[in-house]
Amino acid sequence: ENLTRSGNIEIPQTCPVCGGVTRIQRTADVETLYCTNPECQAKHVKSFALLVSRDALNIDGLSEATLEKFIQRGFIKDKTDIFHLDRFKDEIVAMDGFGEKSYANLIDAVEKARDTDLVRVLYGLGIDNIGLSTAKLIVRKFKGDKEALMNADIQELTDIDGIGEVIADSYVKYFADEKKRKEYIRLLGEVSLKEMDDTQNSQELSGKTFVITGSVTHFANRKELKELIESMGGKVTGSVTGNTSYLINNDSMSQSAKNKTAAKLNVPVITEEEFIRLAGLVDML
C-alpha cells in the first residue's frame, strides 16, 4: 500500500530482467515481490553477492558488478567456482579495472575465505527467510553437524524457539532439491570449518525478539549489540511485528516508522540503558 499517496504504484506482472512471472509472498506480516523464474540472471548475481558478503564468506573485491562480469564470461556457474577463479587468471588480469595487483588481491581474499564457519556457509546459501541469526539458531540446534543440517525436518526446525512453519518450510524445500544438496556438499569441500563457538553468555534473553534502530552509545555499533543479544539466546529482526518483544531506540519519542508501528502494536520501546538492565548487564552502565 502506498501510505503517502504520492503517485501510483503498479505491481509489475513480469520480472524486468528475465521476463518471468512475478508473485507476492507474505512472510511475518511483510509482503515481498518475487520473480518466480529460478534461472533468472538477476537471482544468480544476487545469490553470489550474498555468498561473498561480509556476513557470509566475506570476500573483498567481488562486487555485484564484478560478479556480473564473471558470470557473463562463464568464470562462475555455481558457488564453488568462486574458489577456482585462478583458472581464468589471464582473462581476469586483462579485464577493465583489473591488473596483476587486483587479481592477486582477489585470489588472496578468496583463499582467506576458505577459513570460515558453518553459520556463514549456511547463511551464504541464500535460503529464503534464513538470515544470519536464524542460521546461528539452526547450527546450534544441530551442534554443527553438517549432515544433520541438510536432513533437518520441519518438526525439528519448529522445535527451535524463533523458527516457525514458514521458515522451516523454506529450509526443508531448499535441501529437498538434489542440485542444491550437491552444491552444499561441494561448497563444504572447499572450506575449512572452525569449531562452532557455543560459548554463550547466558540464555537470559531466550524467547525474546528485538528490533534495533537509531544510534547506540554503549556499544561500538548496532551489529555489536545484535551479536550480544544473539549470544544471550535472543533474536534480532529488521522489522517491528506482533512477535517483537522490544524495540530498542534511545530516542523513545521519535516519530520514526518503527516507533509508530511499535505504538500501534503495543510493543515496548526501550532505551539502550533499559535494555542493559533488562539483560542483567548493569556493570556496563
mmCIF file of all heavy atoms in Angstrom, residues 225-274:
data_model
loop_
_atom_site.group_PDB
_atom_site.id
_atom_site.type_symbol
_atom_site.label_atom_id
_atom_site.label_comp_id
_atom_site.label_asym_id
_atom_site.label_seq_id
_atom_site.Cartn_x
_atom_site.Cartn_y
_atom_site.Cartn_z
ATOM 1 N N LEU A 225 25.693 -4.845 19.301
ATOM 2 C CA LEU A 225 24.537 -5.062 20.175
ATOM 3 C C LEU A 225 23.744 -6.279 19.712
ATOM 4 O O LEU A 225 23.314 -7.111 20.517
ATOM 5 C CB LEU A 225 23.649 -3.809 20.186
ATOM 6 C CG LEU A 225 22.308 -3.899 20.924
ATOM 7 C CD1 LEU A 225 22.482 -4.391 22.354
ATOM 8 C CD2 LEU A 225 21.598 -2.545 20.902
ATOM 9 N N LYS A 226 23.570 -6.405 18.421
ATOM 10 C CA LYS A 226 22.850 -7.551 17.845
ATOM 11 C C LYS A 226 23.533 -8.870 18.225
ATOM 12 O O LYS A 226 22.883 -9.830 18.647
ATOM 13 C CB LYS A 226 22.791 -7.406 16.321
ATOM 14 C CG LYS A 226 22.154 -8.578 15.571
ATOM 15 C CD LYS A 226 22.103 -8.250 14.073
ATOM 16 C CE LYS A 226 21.430 -9.357 13.273
ATOM 17 N NZ LYS A 226 22.262 -10.540 13.099
ATOM 18 N N GLU A 227 24.854 -8.903 18.094
ATOM 19 C CA GLU A 227 25.603 -10.124 18.416
ATOM 20 C C GLU A 227 25.491 -10.469 19.898
ATOM 21 O O GLU A 227 25.420 -11.646 20.276
ATOM 22 C CB GLU A 227 27.067 -9.961 17.997
ATOM 23 C CG GLU A 227 27.240 -9.987 16.482
ATOM 24 C CD GLU A 227 28.658 -9.681 16.044
ATOM 25 O OE1 GLU A 227 29.474 -9.275 16.911
ATOM 26 O OE2 GLU A 227 28.960 -9.827 14.841
ATOM 27 N N LEU A 228 25.459 -9.442 20.755
ATOM 28 C CA LEU A 228 25.303 -9.693 22.189
ATOM 29 C C LEU A 228 23.943 -10.320 22.472
ATOM 30 O O LEU A 228 23.841 -11.303 23.215
ATOM 31 C CB LEU A 228 25.444 -8.386 22.981
ATOM 32 C CG LEU A 228 25.110 -8.503 24.476
ATOM 33 C CD1 LEU A 228 26.118 -9.400 25.186
ATOM 34 C CD2 LEU A 228 25.055 -7.139 25.133
ATOM 35 N N ILE A 229 22.894 -9.763 21.866
ATOM 36 C CA ILE A 229 21.540 -10.292 22.080
ATOM 37 C C ILE A 229 21.471 -11.756 21.650
ATOM 38 O O ILE A 229 20.945 -12.609 22.368
ATOM 39 C CB ILE A 229 20.505 -9.449 21.301
ATOM 40 C CG1 ILE A 229 20.383 -8.064 21.931
ATOM 41 C CG2 ILE A 229 19.145 -10.139 21.278
ATOM 42 C CD1 ILE A 229 19.566 -7.071 21.120
ATOM 43 N N GLU A 230 22.045 -12.053 20.488
ATOM 44 C CA GLU A 230 22.013 -13.431 19.981
ATOM 45 C C GLU A 230 22.829 -14.364 20.864
ATOM 46 O O GLU A 230 22.462 -15.534 21.062
ATOM 47 C CB GLU A 230 22.523 -13.461 18.540
ATOM 48 C CG GLU A 230 21.555 -12.809 17.566
ATOM 49 C CD GLU A 230 22.104 -12.681 16.162
ATOM 50 O OE1 GLU A 230 23.330 -12.885 15.968
ATOM 51 O OE2 GLU A 230 21.325 -12.361 15.257
ATOM 52 N N SER A 231 23.929 -13.865 21.419
ATOM 53 C CA SER A 231 24.762 -14.697 22.288
ATOM 54 C C SER A 231 24.053 -15.033 23.596
ATOM 55 O O SER A 231 24.398 -15.985 24.279
ATOM 56 C CB SER A 231 26.097 -13.994 22.590
ATOM 57 O OG SER A 231 25.932 -12.949 23.534
ATOM 58 N N MET A 232 23.029 -14.222 23.931
ATOM 59 C CA MET A 232 22.270 -14.463 25.151
ATOM 60 C C MET A 232 20.940 -15.159 24.869
ATOM 61 O O MET A 232 20.042 -15.186 25.701
ATOM 62 C CB MET A 232 22.043 -13.141 25.892
ATOM 63 C CG MET A 232 23.342 -12.479 26.337
ATOM 64 S SD MET A 232 23.078 -10.919 27.220
ATOM 65 C CE MET A 232 22.419 -11.515 28.776
ATOM 66 N N GLY A 233 20.834 -15.725 23.666
ATOM 67 C CA GLY A 233 19.659 -16.519 23.337
ATOM 68 C C GLY A 233 18.522 -15.752 22.704
ATOM 69 O O GLY A 233 17.481 -16.335 22.371
ATOM 70 N N GLY A 234 18.670 -14.442 22.529
ATOM 71 C CA GLY A 234 17.618 -13.634 21.918
ATOM 72 C C GLY A 234 17.704 -13.629 20.409
ATOM 73 O O GLY A 234 18.619 -14.203 19.816
ATOM 74 N N LYS A 235 16.749 -12.986 19.774
ATOM 75 C CA LYS A 235 16.697 -12.901 18.319
ATOM 76 C C LYS A 235 16.556 -11.440 17.921
ATOM 77 O O LYS A 235 15.884 -10.664 18.612
ATOM 78 C CB LYS A 235 15.512 -13.720 17.791
ATOM 79 C CG LYS A 235 15.409 -13.760 16.279
ATOM 80 C CD LYS A 235 14.220 -14.626 15.856
ATOM 81 C CE LYS A 235 14.077 -14.634 14.340
ATOM 82 N NZ LYS A 235 12.884 -15.402 13.889
ATOM 83 N N VAL A 236 17.195 -11.037 16.808
ATOM 84 C CA VAL A 236 17.102 -9.671 16.312
ATOM 85 C C VAL A 236 16.549 -9.709 14.897
ATOM 86 O O VAL A 236 17.045 -10.449 14.046
ATOM 87 C CB VAL A 236 18.478 -8.968 16.319
ATOM 88 C CG1 VAL A 236 18.357 -7.549 15.758
ATOM 89 C CG2 VAL A 236 19.057 -8.937 17.728
ATOM 90 N N THR A 237 15.507 -8.936 14.650
ATOM 91 C CA THR A 237 14.924 -8.851 13.316
ATOM 92 C C THR A 237 14.968 -7.404 12.828
ATOM 93 O O THR A 237 15.267 -6.495 13.604
ATOM 94 C CB THR A 237 13.466 -9.359 13.309
ATOM 95 O OG1 THR A 237 12.682 -8.509 14.155
ATOM 96 C CG2 THR A 237 13.381 -10.797 13.806
ATOM 97 N N GLY A 238 14.643 -7.205 11.564
ATOM 98 C CA GLY A 238 14.731 -5.859 10.992
ATOM 99 C C GLY A 238 13.444 -5.069 11.058
ATOM 100 O O GLY A 238 13.450 -3.847 10.930
ATOM 101 N N SER A 239 12.302 -5.749 11.246
ATOM 102 C CA SER A 239 11.012 -5.071 11.227
ATOM 103 C C SER A 239 10.230 -5.335 12.505
ATOM 104 O O SER A 239 10.287 -6.423 13.071
ATOM 105 C CB SER A 239 10.179 -5.557 10.037
ATOM 106 O OG SER A 239 10.882 -5.360 8.824
ATOM 107 N N VAL A 240 9.485 -4.332 12.938
ATOM 108 C CA VAL A 240 8.627 -4.471 14.112
ATOM 109 C C VAL A 240 7.340 -5.182 13.695
ATOM 110 O O VAL A 240 6.640 -4.740 12.785
ATOM 111 C CB VAL A 240 8.290 -3.102 14.729
ATOM 112 C CG1 VAL A 240 7.348 -3.258 15.925
ATOM 113 C CG2 VAL A 240 9.562 -2.378 15.161
ATOM 114 N N THR A 241 7.035 -6.298 14.351
ATOM 115 C CA THR A 241 5.808 -7.051 14.083
ATOM 116 C C THR A 241 5.144 -7.394 15.406
ATOM 117 O O THR A 241 5.652 -7.041 16.482
ATOM 118 C CB THR A 241 6.103 -8.364 13.317
ATOM 119 O OG1 THR A 241 6.762 -9.279 14.208
ATOM 120 C CG2 THR A 241 6.981 -8.123 12.102
ATOM 121 N N GLY A 242 4.051 -8.105 15.320
ATOM 122 C CA GLY A 242 3.365 -8.529 16.533
ATOM 123 C C GLY A 242 4.189 -9.479 17.372
ATOM 124 O O GLY A 242 3.896 -9.688 18.554
ATOM 125 N N ASN A 243 5.241 -10.070 16.767
ATOM 126 C CA ASN A 243 6.104 -11.003 17.501
ATOM 127 C C ASN A 243 7.283 -10.310 18.182
ATOM 128 O O ASN A 243 8.067 -10.969 18.875
ATOM 129 C CB ASN A 243 6.642 -12.078 16.552
ATOM 130 C CG ASN A 243 5.528 -12.955 16.010
ATOM 131 O OD1 ASN A 243 4.595 -13.281 16.728
ATOM 132 N ND2 ASN A 243 5.615 -13.323 14.741
ATOM 133 N N THR A 244 7.423 -9.014 17.965
ATOM 134 C CA THR A 244 8.547 -8.276 18.552
ATOM 135 C C THR A 244 8.329 -8.067 20.049
ATOM 136 O O THR A 244 7.254 -7.628 20.470
ATOM 137 C CB THR A 244 8.720 -6.907 17.866
ATOM 138 O OG1 THR A 244 8.873 -7.097 16.455
ATOM 139 C CG2 THR A 244 9.938 -6.167 18.407
ATOM 140 N N SER A 245 9.347 -8.388 20.838
ATOM 141 C CA SER A 245 9.255 -8.202 22.295
ATOM 142 C C SER A 245 9.569 -6.766 22.690
ATOM 143 O O SER A 245 8.880 -6.172 23.533
ATOM 144 C CB SER A 245 10.228 -9.155 23.009
ATOM 145 O OG SER A 245 10.025 -10.481 22.617
ATOM 146 N N TYR A 246 10.650 -6.209 22.071
ATOM 147 C CA TYR A 246 11.071 -4.848 22.392
ATOM 148 C C TYR A 246 11.677 -4.171 21.160
ATOM 149 O O TYR A 246 12.376 -4.814 20.376
ATOM 150 C CB TYR A 246 12.151 -4.837 23.491
ATOM 151 C CG TYR A 246 11.714 -5.398 24.816
ATOM 152 C CD1 TYR A 246 11.966 -6.732 25.136
ATOM 153 C CD2 TYR A 246 11.062 -4.595 25.759
ATOM 154 C CE1 TYR A 246 11.574 -7.261 26.356
ATOM 155 C CE2 TYR A 246 10.667 -5.118 26.984
ATOM 156 C CZ TYR A 246 10.921 -6.449 27.280
ATOM 157 O OH TYR A 246 10.533 -6.967 28.489
ATOM 158 N N LEU A 247 11.407 -2.884 21.034
ATOM 159 C CA LEU A 247 12.118 -2.043 20.068
ATOM 160 C C LEU A 247 13.126 -1.232 20.861
ATOM 161 O O LEU A 247 12.757 -0.516 21.802
ATOM 162 C CB LEU A 247 11.154 -1.106 19.340
ATOM 163 C CG LEU A 247 11.803 -0.006 18.479
ATOM 164 C CD1 LEU A 247 12.610 -0.607 17.336
ATOM 165 C CD2 LEU A 247 10.748 0.967 17.950
ATOM 166 N N ILE A 248 14.415 -1.363 20.522
ATOM 167 C CA ILE A 248 15.461 -0.601 21.204
ATOM 168 C C ILE A 248 15.738 0.668 20.414
ATOM 169 O O ILE A 248 16.162 0.619 19.255
ATOM 170 C CB ILE A 248 16.758 -1.428 21.336
ATOM 171 C CG1 ILE A 248 16.503 -2.715 22.121
ATOM 172 C CG2 ILE A 248 17.852 -0.603 22.026
ATOM 173 C CD1 ILE A 248 17.701 -3.660 22.162
ATOM 174 N N ASN A 249 15.462 1.810 21.032
ATOM 175 C CA ASN A 249 15.680 3.101 20.379
ATOM 176 C C ASN A 249 15.950 4.124 21.476
ATOM 177 O O ASN A 249 15.102 4.367 22.338
ATOM 178 C CB ASN A 249 14.448 3.500 19.561
ATOM 179 C CG ASN A 249 14.690 4.772 18.748
ATOM 180 O OD1 ASN A 249 15.713 5.436 18.903
ATOM 181 N ND2 ASN A 249 13.748 5.115 17.895
ATOM 182 N N ASN A 250 17.140 4.712 21.469
ATOM 183 C CA ASN A 250 17.488 5.697 22.501
ATOM 184 C C ASN A 250 16.591 6.936 22.432
ATOM 185 O O ASN A 250 16.454 7.648 23.417
ATOM 186 C CB ASN A 250 18.964 6.096 22.374
ATOM 187 C CG ASN A 250 19.885 5.030 22.947
ATOM 188 O OD1 ASN A 250 19.547 4.376 23.932
ATOM 189 N ND2 ASN A 250 21.027 4.824 22.328
ATOM 190 N N ASP A 251 16.013 7.171 21.253
ATOM 191 C CA ASP A 251 15.053 8.269 21.112
ATOM 192 C C ASP A 251 13.651 7.676 21.159
ATOM 193 O O ASP A 251 13.011 7.442 20.134
ATOM 194 C CB ASP A 251 15.288 9.005 19.798
ATOM 195 C CG ASP A 251 14.378 10.219 19.638
ATOM 196 O OD1 ASP A 251 13.611 10.510 20.577
ATOM 197 O OD2 ASP A 251 14.416 10.861 18.570
ATOM 198 N N SER A 252 13.173 7.409 22.373
ATOM 199 C CA SER A 252 11.887 6.727 22.529
ATOM 200 C C SER A 252 10.708 7.579 22.065
ATOM 201 O O SER A 252 9.613 7.063 21.827
ATOM 202 C CB SER A 252 11.681 6.314 23.990
ATOM 203 O OG SER A 252 11.744 7.451 24.828
ATOM 204 N N MET A 253 10.914 8.894 21.916
ATOM 205 C CA MET A 253 9.841 9.784 21.469
ATOM 206 C C MET A 253 9.897 10.035 19.965
ATOM 207 O O MET A 253 9.130 10.834 19.437
ATOM 208 C CB MET A 253 9.931 11.130 22.222
ATOM 209 C CG MET A 253 9.868 11.007 23.733
ATOM 210 S SD MET A 253 8.411 10.102 24.285
ATOM 211 C CE MET A 253 7.143 11.293 23.844
ATOM 212 N N SER A 254 10.791 9.359 19.296
ATOM 213 C CA SER A 254 10.937 9.533 17.850
ATOM 214 C C SER A 254 9.634 9.221 17.127
ATOM 215 O O SER A 254 8.864 8.352 17.545
ATOM 216 C CB SER A 254 12.054 8.613 17.339
ATOM 217 O OG SER A 254 12.001 8.493 15.936
ATOM 218 N N GLN A 255 9.410 9.913 16.026
ATOM 219 C CA GLN A 255 8.226 9.658 15.192
ATOM 220 C C GLN A 255 8.585 8.803 13.983
ATOM 221 O O GLN A 255 7.930 8.865 12.943
ATOM 222 C CB GLN A 255 7.616 10.991 14.738
ATOM 223 C CG GLN A 255 6.989 11.791 15.866
ATOM 224 C CD GLN A 255 5.881 11.018 16.570
ATOM 225 O OE1 GLN A 255 4.904 10.627 15.950
ATOM 226 N NE2 GLN A 255 6.044 10.786 17.871
ATOM 227 N N SER A 256 9.628 7.993 14.139
ATOM 228 C CA SER A 256 10.050 7.121 13.039
ATOM 229 C C SER A 256 8.982 6.068 12.753
ATOM 230 O O SER A 256 8.105 5.799 13.593
ATOM 231 C CB SER A 256 11.368 6.420 13.389
ATOM 232 O OG SER A 256 11.150 5.473 14.424
ATOM 233 N N ALA A 257 9.077 5.456 11.582
ATOM 234 C CA ALA A 257 8.104 4.430 11.190
ATOM 235 C C ALA A 257 8.108 3.270 12.168
ATOM 236 O O ALA A 257 7.047 2.729 12.531
ATOM 237 C CB ALA A 257 8.414 3.945 9.777
ATOM 238 N N LYS A 258 9.311 2.881 12.639
ATOM 239 C CA LYS A 258 9.394 1.756 13.576
ATOM 240 C C LYS A 258 8.726 2.094 14.909
ATOM 241 O O LYS A 258 8.034 1.268 15.497
ATOM 242 C CB LYS A 258 10.862 1.354 13.792
ATOM 243 C CG LYS A 258 11.469 0.596 12.606
ATOM 244 C CD LYS A 258 12.824 0.032 12.969
ATOM 245 C CE LYS A 258 13.315 -0.900 11.857
ATOM 246 N NZ LYS A 258 14.263 -0.305 10.967
ATOM 247 N N ASN A 259 8.940 3.328 15.393
ATOM 248 C CA ASN A 259 8.307 3.725 16.649
ATOM 249 C C ASN A 259 6.783 3.765 16.516
ATOM 250 O O ASN A 259 6.053 3.349 17.426
ATOM 251 C CB ASN A 259 8.825 5.093 17.099
ATOM 252 C CG ASN A 259 10.124 4.994 17.876
ATOM 253 O OD1 ASN A 259 11.032 4.286 17.460
ATOM 254 N ND2 ASN A 259 10.228 5.705 18.988
ATOM 255 N N LYS A 260 6.310 4.254 15.364
ATOM 256 C CA LYS A 260 4.858 4.317 15.149
ATOM 257 C C LYS A 260 4.261 2.915 15.087
ATOM 258 O O LYS A 260 3.182 2.666 15.634
ATOM 259 C CB LYS A 260 4.565 5.082 13.858
ATOM 260 C CG LYS A 260 4.815 6.586 13.975
ATOM 261 C CD LYS A 260 4.541 7.289 12.659
ATOM 262 C CE LYS A 260 4.766 8.788 12.780
ATOM 263 N NZ LYS A 260 4.564 9.486 11.484
ATOM 264 N N THR A 261 4.971 2.004 14.416
ATOM 265 C CA THR A 261 4.486 0.617 14.332
ATOM 266 C C THR A 261 4.472 -0.020 15.712
ATOM 267 O O THR A 261 3.528 -0.745 16.072
ATOM 268 C CB THR A 261 5.375 -0.214 13.382
ATOM 269 O OG1 THR A 261 5.400 0.399 12.096
ATOM 270 C CG2 THR A 261 4.858 -1.636 13.245
ATOM 271 N N ALA A 262 5.516 0.254 16.500
ATOM 272 C CA ALA A 262 5.590 -0.296 17.862
ATOM 273 C C ALA A 262 4.418 0.199 18.698
ATOM 274 O O ALA A 262 3.793 -0.578 19.440
ATOM 275 C CB ALA A 262 6.917 0.082 18.508
ATOM 276 N N ALA A 263 4.108 1.471 18.571
ATOM 277 C CA ALA A 263 2.990 2.039 19.339
ATOM 278 C C ALA A 263 1.675 1.388 18.921
ATOM 279 O O ALA A 263 0.826 1.054 19.762
ATOM 280 C CB ALA A 263 2.929 3.548 19.130
ATOM 281 N N LYS A 264 1.523 1.196 17.626
ATOM 282 C CA LYS A 264 0.297 0.593 17.100
ATOM 283 C C LYS A 264 0.121 -0.849 17.586
ATOM 284 O O LYS A 264 -0.997 -1.294 17.878
ATOM 285 C CB LYS A 264 0.345 0.629 15.563
ATOM 286 C CG LYS A 264 -0.890 0.082 14.877
ATOM 287 C CD LYS A 264 -0.727 0.188 13.361
ATOM 288 C CE LYS A 264 -1.924 -0.438 12.655
ATOM 289 N NZ LYS A 264 -1.767 -0.380 11.166
ATOM 290 N N LEU A 265 1.242 -1.582 17.706
ATOM 291 C CA LEU A 265 1.193 -2.996 18.093
ATOM 292 C C LEU A 265 1.424 -3.216 19.588
ATOM 293 O O LEU A 265 1.531 -4.346 20.040
ATOM 294 C CB LEU A 265 2.239 -3.782 17.289
ATOM 295 C CG LEU A 265 2.053 -3.803 15.767
ATOM 296 C CD1 LEU A 265 3.228 -4.503 15.103
ATOM 297 C CD2 LEU A 265 0.743 -4.498 15.402
ATOM 298 N N ASN A 266 1.530 -2.098 20.334
ATOM 299 C CA ASN A 266 1.785 -2.176 21.786
ATOM 300 C C ASN A 266 3.099 -2.877 22.114
ATOM 301 O O ASN A 266 3.200 -3.623 23.100
ATOM 302 C CB ASN A 266 0.629 -2.878 22.510
ATOM 303 C CG ASN A 266 -0.646 -2.072 22.478
ATOM 304 O OD1 ASN A 266 -0.616 -0.851 22.659
ATOM 305 N ND2 ASN A 266 -1.761 -2.734 22.215
ATOM 306 N N VAL A 267 4.100 -2.652 21.268
ATOM 307 C CA VAL A 267 5.446 -3.196 21.510
ATOM 308 C C VAL A 267 6.225 -2.170 22.341
ATOM 309 O O VAL A 267 6.332 -1.002 21.943
ATOM 310 C CB VAL A 267 6.190 -3.468 20.188
ATOM 311 C CG1 VAL A 267 7.647 -3.838 20.454
ATOM 312 C CG2 VAL A 267 5.486 -4.573 19.407
ATOM 313 N N PRO A 268 6.774 -2.550 23.488
ATOM 314 C CA PRO A 268 7.520 -1.586 24.320
ATOM 315 C C PRO A 268 8.747 -1.029 23.589
ATOM 316 O O PRO A 268 9.477 -1.790 22.945
ATOM 317 C CB PRO A 268 7.955 -2.430 25.526
ATOM 318 C CG PRO A 268 7.062 -3.630 25.521
ATOM 319 C CD PRO A 268 6.716 -3.891 24.099
ATOM 320 N N VAL A 269 8.923 0.279 23.696
ATOM 321 C CA VAL A 269 10.120 0.923 23.152
ATOM 322 C C VAL A 269 11.031 1.224 24.331
ATOM 323 O O VAL A 269 10.647 1.939 25.257
ATOM 324 C CB VAL A 269 9.774 2.233 22.405
ATOM 325 C CG1 VAL A 269 11.046 2.859 21.833
ATOM 326 C CG2 VAL A 269 8.760 1.965 21.301
ATOM 327 N N ILE A 270 12.243 0.650 24.316
ATOM 328 C CA ILE A 270 13.161 0.834 25.442
ATOM 329 C C ILE A 270 14.457 1.460 24.960
ATOM 330 O O ILE A 270 14.852 1.299 23.807
ATOM 331 C CB ILE A 270 13.456 -0.503 26.164
ATOM 332 C CG1 ILE A 270 14.116 -1.505 25.202
ATOM 333 C CG2 ILE A 270 12.187 -1.084 26.761
ATOM 334 C CD1 ILE A 270 14.563 -2.803 25.872
ATOM 335 N N THR A 271 15.114 2.169 25.855
ATOM 336 C CA THR A 271 16.405 2.765 25.533
ATOM 337 C C THR A 271 17.496 1.705 25.668
ATOM 338 O O THR A 271 17.265 0.625 26.218
ATOM 339 C CB THR A 271 16.725 3.940 26.466
ATOM 340 O OG1 THR A 271 16.865 3.426 27.796
ATOM 341 C CG2 THR A 271 15.628 4.995 26.425
ATOM 342 N N GLU A 272 18.660 2.067 25.221
ATOM 343 C CA GLU A 272 19.813 1.166 25.337
ATOM 344 C C GLU A 272 20.089 0.825 26.808
ATOM 345 O O GLU A 272 20.373 -0.324 27.138
ATOM 346 C CB GLU A 272 21.011 1.875 24.716
ATOM 347 C CG GLU A 272 22.205 1.031 24.415
ATOM 348 C CD GLU A 272 23.312 1.865 23.785
ATOM 349 O OE1 GLU A 272 23.072 3.050 23.449
ATOM 350 O OE2 GLU A 272 24.415 1.335 23.657
ATOM 351 N N GLU A 273 20.005 1.824 27.682
ATOM 352 C CA GLU A 273 20.264 1.590 29.106
ATOM 353 C C GLU A 273 19.205 0.669 29.712
ATOM 354 O O GLU A 273 19.523 -0.183 30.552
ATOM 355 C CB GLU A 273 20.328 2.917 29.852
ATOM 356 C CG GLU A 273 21.557 3.738 29.473
ATOM 357 C CD GLU A 273 21.749 4.955 30.362
ATOM 358 O OE1 GLU A 273 20.875 5.194 31.236
ATOM 359 O OE2 GLU A 273 22.758 5.650 30.184
ATOM 360 N N GLU A 274 17.943 0.835 29.285
ATOM 361 C CA GLU A 274 16.890 -0.049 29.781
ATOM 362 C C GLU A 274 17.130 -1.485 29.318
ATOM 363 O O GLU A 274 16.890 -2.441 30.060
ATOM 364 C CB GLU A 274 15.521 0.444 29.302
ATOM 365 C CG GLU A 274 15.064 1.708 30.021
ATOM 366 C CD GLU A 274 13.813 2.308 29.408
ATOM 367 O OE1 GLU A 274 13.673 2.293 28.168
ATOM 368 O OE2 GLU A 274 12.961 2.794 30.180
#
